[in-house]
Each structure stands twice: as C-alpha cells, then as structure tokens.
Amino acid sequence: MQLVDEFRDARLAKRIRADIEELSTKAGADETNPLQIMEICGGHTHTIFRHGIDKLVPRSIEFVHGPGCPVCVLPMQRVDEFLELAERDSVILTSYGDAMRVPGRNGSLQQCKAAGVDVRMVYSPSDSLEIARKNPDKQVVFFGLGFETTAPATAISILQAAKEDIANFSVFCNHITVPPPIRSILEQADVSIDGFIGPGHVSMVIGTRPYDFIAEEFGKPVVVAGFEPLDLMQSVLMLLRQIVEGRVMVENQYSRVVTRDGNPVSLSALNEVFETRPSFEWRGLGEIESSGLRIRKQFAEFDAEERFGIGYGSSVTREGYRDQYPCGKVMIGKLKPFDCPHFCKDCTPETPLGALMVSSEGACAAYHQYGGFQ
Amino acid sequence: MCLGIPGKVIEITDEETNLGIADVSGVKRTVNLTCVAGCGLQNLVGAWVLIHVGFGMAVIDEEEARETLRTLHELGDAQEELFAMLAGDQAVQGH
Ligand code: SF4
C-alpha cells in the first residue's frame, strides 16, 4: 500500500482500491482469469506505469496497452518518405521531438540531422510556420503527427498559412483518429477485452459520442478518463460497476474537460482542412480503413504529399515493410512485452526494433523502464 | 506532444489570430487560443488553459491546473514539456 500513500488523497485512493478489489471478485475475475481493460491512450499508459497503477490494482485486473501512441503506430515508411524530401534542395524539415528517434530504413530523423540534414525539432506547428516566415527561400515541411488532440493545431496552422499566403509551408500529414482502430481490434475474433478506458484529451476535442458504437455494437463498456492517477483508478472502478451491474454504456469520468459533443471550434477546423483517407497503415496493426486524415484538395499547396509528389505509399513497395516483430500482438493484449523474444535483448530504448520501444508512451519502453508484472 | 500542460493566460497579443502569452510554470510562451476563444478572447486573461503543442485546447479551473502541474513536475514530465518549448524557440532561431 506504500504506492497509495503517495496519492494526493491517499484515503480516497485506498477506498477506491478496496472497491476495485471487491467488485472484481464479484465480477468473477481472479489472477488466472483477469479482466482485461484496455487503456486506449498512450498518455494513460504513461500514467499507469509512472504511478505504478498496474501494481496498485489487484491482479484480477490486467491493463492492455492500446494503440493510442501515435509514435508507436507510425509506419516506418512514412519516416522514409519524409526523409526523401531532404534530398531536395532548400528544404527545412520540422518535427515534434517524439518522432525524431523513430527508426526508418535509412535511419531516424535524428540520425539524419546528425548527418547534416536540416531537421529541426519544434514544439508546435506554429513554430514551423514561423520558421517558414523567416526563411522565405526555403521550403519548410512539418511532420504532422498525432490523434485528434494535435490535429486541430495542424489544421489551424494550415488555415493561418492560407490566410497569410505563406507559400513555402507544407505539412506531411500522418494524423490518425482513435475510433477506427478500436473497431478493428474489436472485430478480431480472439480479442477478449472487457472494457475500455477512453482517451481524455482526444475526447476533449471529439466528445464522447464517437465511442457509442463500442457499447452499442460490441457490448463493451467505456469510461473516458482524465490523466491524474486518481482519475484512472476511478475509471477502473466505474468500468467494474458497469460490468457487475450488467450495464453497457459510455461514461465520462473526465467531465471537468470533456463534453458529449466535443469542442466545436476544433472540430470545425478539423473538418475544414482534413478529409478521411480510405485507409492508413498502423504499424503493428496493418492497414485500417478510414483511420487516417489527409489534407483536402482545397489546401493542396500546403500538402507536402501533393507539393512534392510523395503520396501515401508511393516510395517503395509496401511489402518490404511488413514488420517481422510481434509488436502488433502486444498492442492488442495477446502478448506481454516480456514475452517478446526481442524484449531487452536486441530491442532496447537505445536500439529499438519496434516503435513500442521508442516512445515513453509505448508499452515496451514502459516495461523496460518501470518493469511490469513478471 | 500528447501530454498537454496547464498554463495561465497573462495577456492577449493578437486579437486577429487569437494569440496570447501564457505562463507555463514560469516560462512565457505564445499560445494560440482559437479553440478556447468562444467566450471572448479578452475573458481568457487570468484563466488557466490546457495547452497542447502550443494551442490552448480547454479552459480548466485553477485547482485542476495546479494539481496537474504538481503531478507533471513530480514525474519530470513538466520539465520535458518545457524543454520541448525551448527547443521550439531554438528551432525558430535556426537550430
Ligand atoms: S520488444 Fe521490441 S520487437 Fe518486441 S514487441 Fe516490443 S517493440 Fe516490438
């Protein structure tokens, strides 16, 4: 219980823990037959490990670390396609720090930077826009990455570029959306997830409505959660209550920030700038229908794919990119990181083979750093 | 990048493009407030917003903000986020 004492409200944490214990027994779960709860968002994975919440809940609860880390699911090919741009003259590549270490076939962005390519790590797409303003003789390309939380920032930056007529700014768009991979996971026959912890910050943008299908079509409970350790504990409890009481619905634990309908300004910017791609590849999960965003024709001049002719999947035959590592199985809860033969052997945060080892939100990196149940 | 960090809006600097300055754990950073400007841009001065990649994405109350900051600091996540902001400034300067 030492872990609990570190909580801001240790008494409340203790009570929630006791309730979780009691309800999981009522639900018929035990150590050998645990309830599988998938936290969709990489931010939650991060919180769970940093605070040892996986160790705090009874062993009758097992967290499955979902596909919600955009760095982890980024196909290697997209890094390669982006780096192809570096071969052209007068290009400045910009990226969030998170994507700098993702291995591509010819190295990562960081390695290319070390080799002399002008790759700059930015905090915001607005930094990228500012670099474009300051370097009118260069083409500045931003590596757009992330779910619905960061996509509005990209969209608003493109709208701003259009307004100011900034002709040397474009986005290499890899934005993806949360609901489609959840559907794809649920459609797999041998998946036995009992409930979902919905992403707090994505839901701040899209609201809770887009998860209705999880409850209605697949009969699984969902609780959208905040990012404090207590938020997560409470959400586990709310899921258990639904399971024990035989209710199936989308509940919102994070109502301080999340509404049913989302943020109208963010949604309208997303809708104005982006459209859904027919399909997009998720590393470890394969192609998922309607899961990616691309820039609408109307904003083609700000679309690096259009401007430089590096369309999605155009560079090399996709076959060569099939992952030979079992990262996808880890992502849907069929394999624990330490059951992967590469884990901590030839796959480490310094020399990642799979993307789950790259980001601090990746399950394998988290197990490497904090350890999990062994 | 996905984390988000609370900041307190201290002034509005550009009404047309919805820009303001936020104080994020002592670091002043320009943030885009388009997504939270619904209740009037000027009303945001003094308010706490949750900032993702330089954009205010939600208005939060002060207690929530302080608690989030406390957790982020304890775990070193706030430092990482502030480092990313600094790196962004440097990137704009040409590094
Ligand atoms: S240890 Fe490496 S190769 Fe194995 S699943 Fe994790 S990231 Fe993939």
Side-chain angles (χ1 to χ4, degrees):
Chain A
M1 289 298 262
Q2 197 202 337
L3 281 166
V4 157
D5 296 333
E6 286 162 16
F7 279 65
R8 172 179 47 131
D9 192 339
R11 269 209 354 241
L12 182 55
K14 272 182 193 160
R15 215 177 60 219
I16 296 177
R17 186 188 192 275
D19 287 352
I20 289 177
E21 188 124 42
E22 190 194 321
L23 283 184
S24 64
T25 310
K26 261 196 196 152
D30 59 28
E31 200 173 316
T32 48
N33 184 26
L35 286 168
Q36 284 199 323
I37 292 180
M38 175 179 277
E39 85 277 5
I40 296 170
C41 169
H44 282 150
T45 305
H46 188 72
T47 306
I48 286 171
F49 280 104
R50 284 242 159 149
H51 293 273
I53 293 174
D54 56 324
K55 299 191 179 78
L56 202 58
V57 296
R59 288 191 174 214
S60 48
I61 305 283
E62 184 191 334
F63 287 109
V64 176
H65 316 297
C69 158
V71 176
C72 304
V73 296
L74 180 72
M76 190 186 264
Q77 184 174 9
R78 295 300 274 175
V79 176
D80 293 350
E81 285 166 351
F82 188 58
L83 282 170
E84 270 176 41
L85 293 175
E87 284 155 26
R88 304 174 197 231
D89 288 340
S90 308
V91 170
I92 299 175
L93 302 177
T94 60
S95 162
Y96 292 128
D98 308 61
M100 297 287 284
R101 284 198 312 130
V102 178
R105 277 204 170 170
N106 308 312
S108 63
L109 295 179
Q110 192 158 319
Q111 285 162 333
C112 288
K113 181 180 173 73
V117 177
D118 194 346
V119 184
R120 299 188 197 175
M121 186 174 133
V122 293
Y123 166 65
S124 167
S126 52
D127 292 338
S128 198
L129 202 54
E130 186 59 19
I131 294 171
R133 288 189 193 102
K134 285 195 160 176
N135 298 273
D137 52 332
K138 300 261 173 93
Q139 282 294 329
V140 178
V141 191
F142 175 65
F143 194 88
L145 182 70
F147 289 100
E148 292 94 329
T149 328
T150 55
T154 305
I156 292 168
S157 300
I158 288 175
L159 291 171
Q160 186 61 31
K163 205 160 145 193
E164 288 178 48
D165 231 339
I166 299 179
N168 62 326
F169 171 77
S170 59
V171 173
F172 184 60
C173 183
N174 296 290
H175 285 295
I176 43 182
T177 51
V178 162
I182 303 307
R183 176 179 289 281
S184 145
I185 288 171
L186 283 167
E187 278 169 353
Q188 296 184 27
D190 52 345
V191 166
S192 58
I193 292 158
D194 298 288
F196 290 87
I197 294 180
H201 291 156
V202 162
S203 309
M204 154 184 93
V205 173
I206 66 174
T208 61
R209 243 177 243 286
Y211 311 118
D212 285 352
F213 76 93
I214 303 177
E216 285 164 12
E217 287 177 47
F218 294 94
K220 306 283 185 194
V222 182
V223 174
V224 173
F227 289 87
E228 304 301 331
L230 266 183
D231 288 332
L232 276 165
M233 298 272 291
Q234 198 142 35
S235 304
V236 172
L237 184 60
M238 288 168 75
L239 279 173
L240 282 172
R241 283 212 184 103
Q242 286 200 41
I243 293 170
V244 168
E245 292 167 16
R247 284 181 296 128
V248 178
M249 57 199 296
V250 179
E251 289 183 305
N252 183 5
Q253 185 275 337
Y254 198 28
S255 57
R256 328 195 276 283
V257 169
V258 173
T259 61
R260 181 120 178 89
D261 291 314
N263 180 311
V265 183
S266 308
L267 284 174
S268 96
L270 284 181
N271 188 41
E272 187 175 353
V273 173
F274 297 119
E275 62 188 11
T276 306
R277 287 182 198 265
S279 159
F280 196 75
E281 186 186 336
W282 293 57
R283 191 168 184 173
L285 296 177
E287 290 278 340
I288 300 177
E289 224 175 274
S290 308
S291 65
L293 299 177
R294 71 179 172 210
I295 297 164
R296 287 186 191 276
K297 282 274 168 298
Q298 186 193 341
F299 297 100
E301 61 174 308
F302 304 105
D303 183 352
E305 290 182 22
E306 293 293 321
R307 175 172 284 189
F308 302 103
I310 44 161
Y312 173 66
S314 67
S315 76
V316 195
T317 53
R318 308 193 62 76
E319 267 320 294
Y321 281 90
R322 287 285 155 257
D323 258 321
Q324 64 267 56
Y325 308 114
C327 318
K329 286 201 177 125
V330 171
M331 224 181 289
I332 60 172
K334 285 196 220 158
L335 195 75
K336 286 277 159 194
F338 45 68
D339 293 326
C340 167
H342 305 281
F343 181 71
C344 291
K345 297 196 173 78
D346 48 341
C347 186
T348 66
E350 290 70 42
T351 54
L353 290 178
L356 294 179
M357 196 54 105
V358 174
S359 155
S360 63
E361 295 179 7
C364 296
Y367 269 64
H368 180 271
Q369 193 176 355
Y370 302 106
F373 275 143
Q374 307 260 349
Chain B
M1 166 190 113
C2 300
L3 204 58
I5 189 165
K8 187 176 184 166
V9 179
I10 50 177
E11 71 174 291
I12 302 299
T13 47
D14 188 337
E15 296 258 358
E16 209 197 321
T17 51
N18 299 319
L19 298 183
I21 308 270
D23 180 325
V24 187
S25 269
V27 173
K28 311 252 186 304
R29 156 91 206 187
T30 294
V31 287
N32 188 309
L33 298 165
T34 306
C35 298
V36 286
C39 54
L41 204 55
Q42 286 299 341
N43 292 333
L44 288 172
V45 176
W48 287 84
V49 291
L50 197 56
I51 302 165
H52 278 265
V53 298
F55 286 66
M57 298 302 290
V59 178
I60 51 177
D61 69 34
E62 181 159 353
E63 198 200 329
E64 160 106 27
R66 292 202 185 282
E67 178 57 21
T68 304
L69 272 177
R70 190 184 70 88
T71 319
L72 291 177
H73 270 288
E74 241 166 45
L75 299 171
D77 289 337
Q79 291 81 333
E80 245 168 66
E81 201 71 356
L82 296 172
F83 171 77
M85 287 182 195
L86 197 72
D89 290 344
Q90 287 176 346
V92 171
Q93 300 312 319
H95 303 286

